[in-house]
Amino acid sequence: MNYHQARWVCESGLEPLIFEMGRKSAKGSLLPNVVTPDFNIPEKLLRKSIDIPELSEPEIVRHYTRLSQMNFCVDTGFYPLGSCTMKYNPKINEELADLDEVANIHPDQDVETVQGALEIMYRLENFLCEITGMSRMCLQPSAGAHGEFLGLLLVRAYFKSKGEKRKEVIVPDSAHGTNFASAGMAGFNVIVVPSNSRGRVDLEALRAAVSENTAALMMTNPNTLGLFEDEILKIAQVVHDVGGLLYYDGANLNGIIGKARPGDMGFDIVHLNLHKTFSTPHGGGGPGAGPVGVVEKLERFLPVPVIEYDEKRERFWLNYDRPHSIGKIKSFFGNFGVLVKAYAYILSMGADGLEEAAETAVLNANYLMKKLNDGKSFKVNYDGPCKHEVVLSAEPLKKETGITAKDVAKRLLDFGVHPPTYYFPPIVPEALMVEPTETESKEELDRFIEAMRIIARESREDPEKVKSAPVATAVGRLDEARASREPILTWKMYQKLKKE
């Protein structure tokens, strides 16, 4: 790094690209002179030159260490990102997924050489079916949205097998955005039903919306307001009475795990977010897993292969002979490392531990709601206890001071807290969706409560201080629209921006 780049780091808090830092003759390691065998690679496939940055080993280490120090994650602070379940995850599970026996096997190996891997997936499927009340489970999807898409492909295949051309999928107005997108990608028209004054699905509006053209209703329970849909059995009956299917978005399973099962509520299809509920750090584009479970009448449509167990031979095998299957929705068998972590998490927690996790998550969310719902700065628009998350509205604060939910969220960064989800769900004005999860202590929750109260006080006494936040982070308040279109990636781009 030269003087100007070092000064850029100090001034901007940014880090140059490693390609900008390189210099000729610097070496991170010395490789032995080995004669490369002649592989007869075609001329058009040969690289003419390889642009690899040249740095010493200390420079490489310091570069990536500086980048890691600019990152916020559940290992560095409180991460109450509502509806995303950003909870601390036991590091032992990471160690297990990194074992050679897990990390270095290949999906093209002969089935006889990966019996242990197949057994883990087979047993995990059984665990997840027991937890959700489903009959069979596909472990292939890469994440929740991928699972949603698979679920809707299964809905489509089911009605095609019955000779029906149902084109409508009903989605509550408080639903995750991926529900609308997944339904559209699968070729369905989306019908939106409103929430009632209690923040739940309006049952009468649903009755008016269903018809012989209804393929499915997609729901999260608890919903994105953090409220349990206490009329779920009636909702299921309304959908099933017209021959439709009920789809469960598992993003919020952490609030009811061990307490209630989607299958017992009447759901026909369930997707889970293993990277939210079952021990894989979520976010940052890392690996996920979104298994999809189904009731018995939908089993035959599941993607291939299905893992089976031959009791006579005491061997696991892959069943591709499924004529009604929709085919494959991912290469190989899914993100195996994530599946291993989920399997380890369930084994270590046990049934009692999973239930306690839900209880603690719900307790933590209600504690925050009780402490912050003062009606003067923040309020909750719906009465009654919440489940694992609480949606606060900063509308009272905005009306009095002009400070918005976004301003509050950005100021929280200066207190070492990741902002909660804000402006979602959109049916709550100035929404701040806070999910503390079960892994945060009362002391950490109290620090968050105090930070929120300080920000409310600052909003009245010095609103510009809040509007200019964050000030203690590597990068200050961004023009988010411009940042998405013109990201500053290099030192040269930063210099150009300064001149402007």
Side-chain angles (χ1 to χ4, degrees):
M1 182 186 300
N2 62 35
Y3 166 78
H4 297 290
Q5 291 167 339
R7 184 176 177 183
W8 177 53
V9 173
C10 294
E11 290 180 356
S12 67
L14 301 176
E15 176 78 6
L17 295 179
I18 195 168
F19 287 91
E20 292 184 298
M21 298 169 61
R23 66 187 191 284
K24 294 295 182 183
S25 78
K27 291 182 172 60
S29 62
L30 297 175
L31 300 177
N33 293 321
V34 177
V35 177
T36 304
D38 185 2
F39 290 113
N40 296 319
I41 299 175
E43 181 68 25
K44 63 180 181 179
L45 296 181
L46 287 172
R47 292 180 183 268
K48 303 303 179 184
S49 64
I50 302 177
D51 184 19
I52 296 178
E54 299 177 57
L55 294 95
S56 69
E57 184 173 325
E59 288 173 322
I60 295 171
V61 170
R62 288 166 185 166
H63 170 70
Y64 286 108
T65 300
R66 284 191 294 268
L67 288 177
S68 72
Q69 291 168 338
M70 296 166 64
N71 188 38
F72 193 99
C73 62
V74 292
D75 289 350
T76 57
F78 185 31
Y79 211 131
L81 194 63
S83 210
C84 280
T85 314
M86 298 291 288
K87 64 185 184 182
Y88 173 80
N89 298 278
K91 295 301 173 277
I92 182 63
N93 299 339
E94 299 291 326
E95 295 288 337
L96 293 172
D98 197 41
L99 291 172
D100 286 345
E101 295 86 346
V102 174
N104 293 332
I105 62 172
H106 194 281
D108 275 337
Q109 286 180 226
D110 186 274
V111 169
E112 294 299 320
T113 70
V114 290
Q115 285 294 301
L118 295 180
E119 181 176 359
I120 286 174
M121 290 189 284
Y122 183 83
R123 292 181 180 275
L124 176 61
E125 179 189 345
N126 289 338
F127 287 160
L128 298 179
C129 285
E130 176 62 28
I131 289 168
T132 59
M134 294 290 105
S135 177
R136 287 300 304 259
M137 187 85 53
C138 172
L139 304 178
Q140 290 181 28
S142 298
H146 194 191
E148 287 179 17
F149 184 58
L150 167 57
L152 288 161
L153 293 181
L154 296 173
V155 170
R156 196 170 70 182
Y158 171 72
F159 286 110
K160 183 178 180 180
S161 73
K162 293 166 65 69
E164 300 181 32
K165 297 182 179 179
R166 300 192 178 214
K167 296 294 292 181
E168 293 179 355
V169 168
I170 300 173
V171 181
D173 61 358
S174 65
H176 295 111
T178 51
N179 289 183
F180 302 89
S182 297
M185 285 181 64
F188 293 102
N189 300 321
V190 176
I191 307 297
V192 180
V193 291
S195 300
N196 59 25
S197 59
R198 299 174 57 245
R200 279 85 170 176
V201 170
D202 188 312
L203 198 56
E204 293 308 312
L206 177 63
R207 289 192 176 105
V210 298
S211 69
E212 67 279 355
N213 202 26
T214 299
L217 167 65
M218 301 182 75
M219 284 184 63
T220 311
N221 197 16
N223 64 26
T224 54
L225 292 166
L227 303 173
F228 188 79
E229 296 280 355
D230 49 13
E231 292 188 303
I232 185 59
L233 296 180
K234 294 179 181 178
I235 290 171
Q237 189 65 49
V238 169
V239 175
H240 288 155
D241 281 349
V242 296
L245 298 173
L246 205 60
Y247 179 93
Y248 183 84
D249 176 343
N252 295 343
L253 185 72
N254 205 56
I256 62 168
I257 190 168
K259 291 291 185 180
R261 305 193 308 172
D264 297 334
M265 300 177 201
F267 286 93
D268 303 291
I269 304 173
V270 169
H271 97 248
L272 302 178
N273 298 78
L274 298 190
H275 53 286
K276 293 182 180 184
T277 314
F278 298 101
S279 180
T280 295
H282 173 63
V292 171
V294 296
V295 294
E296 187 175 359
K297 67 181 179 181
L298 300 174
E299 278 187 35
R300 59 192 175 126
F301 305 110
L302 285 175
V304 292
V306 172
I307 301 172
E308 308 281 10
Y309 181 64
D310 186 334
E311 293 187 5
K312 290 183 178 180
R313 297 180 62 236
E314 296 184 345
R315 285 289 183 270
F316 296 92
W317 59 288
L318 299 173
N319 185 358
Y320 285 89
D321 186 18
R322 300 176 61 82
H324 298 285
S325 169
I326 65 165
K328 289 186 69 67
I329 46 87
K330 191 180 190 303
S331 58
F332 306 121
F333 316 114
N335 287 329
F336 182 59
V338 180
L339 303 180
V340 170
K341 288 180 243 185
Y343 182 65
Y345 180 81
I346 293 171
L347 284 177
S348 62
M349 294 288 282
D352 292 341
L354 293 175
E355 187 174 353
E356 185 179 355
E359 291 173 349
T360 309
V362 171
L363 177 65
N364 284 353
N366 279 275
Y367 180 69
L368 292 182
M369 180 176 69
K370 184 71 174 178
K371 293 290 186 178
L372 291 172
N373 182 25
D374 59 8
K376 298 177 181 178
S377 300
F378 309 103
K379 67 175 182 177
V380 175
N381 289 6
Y382 302 97
D383 295 332
C386 61
K387 297 301 279 185
H388 64 301
E389 63 190 3
V390 56
V391 179
L392 301 167
S393 172
E395 190 175 28
L397 194 65
K398 181 181 179 182
K399 286 182 176 179
E400 181 185 347
T401 68
I403 295 298
T404 66
K406 178 179 178 179
D407 294 328
V408 173
K410 298 300 183 183
R411 181 59 174 149
L412 277 169
L413 284 163
D414 291 329
F415 290 84
V417 175
H418 191 283
T421 303
Y422 57 91
Y423 298 147
F424 182 81
I427 61 174
V428 175
E430 298 300 318
L432 290 163
M433 184 161 61
V434 184
E435 183 180 358
T437 77
E438 76 279 6
T439 58
E440 298 300 334
S441 66
K442 179 178 179 298
E443 289 75 18
E444 189 65 43
L445 299 182
D446 286 337
R447 281 191 284 270
F448 174 73
I449 292 165
E450 182 62 17
M452 291 286 282
R453 289 173 175 171
I454 290 173
I455 294 170
R457 185 167 65 247
E458 290 176 340
S459 300
R460 295 179 172 91
E461 298 173 355
D462 189 2
E464 286 305 312
K465 186 176 185 179
V466 181
K467 283 187 174 294
S468 62
V471 296
T473 53
V475 179
R477 182 78 69 99
L478 297 175
D479 178 340
E480 294 176 354
R482 185 178 181 186
S484 66
R485 292 168 174 79
E486 302 175 36
I488 301 170
L489 300 176
T490 68
W491 176 69
K492 291 180 180 179
M493 293 171 67
Y494 175 69
Q495 291 296 102
K496 180 182 177 183
L497 182 67
K498 282 188 68 176
K499 290 179 181 179
E500 293 177 1

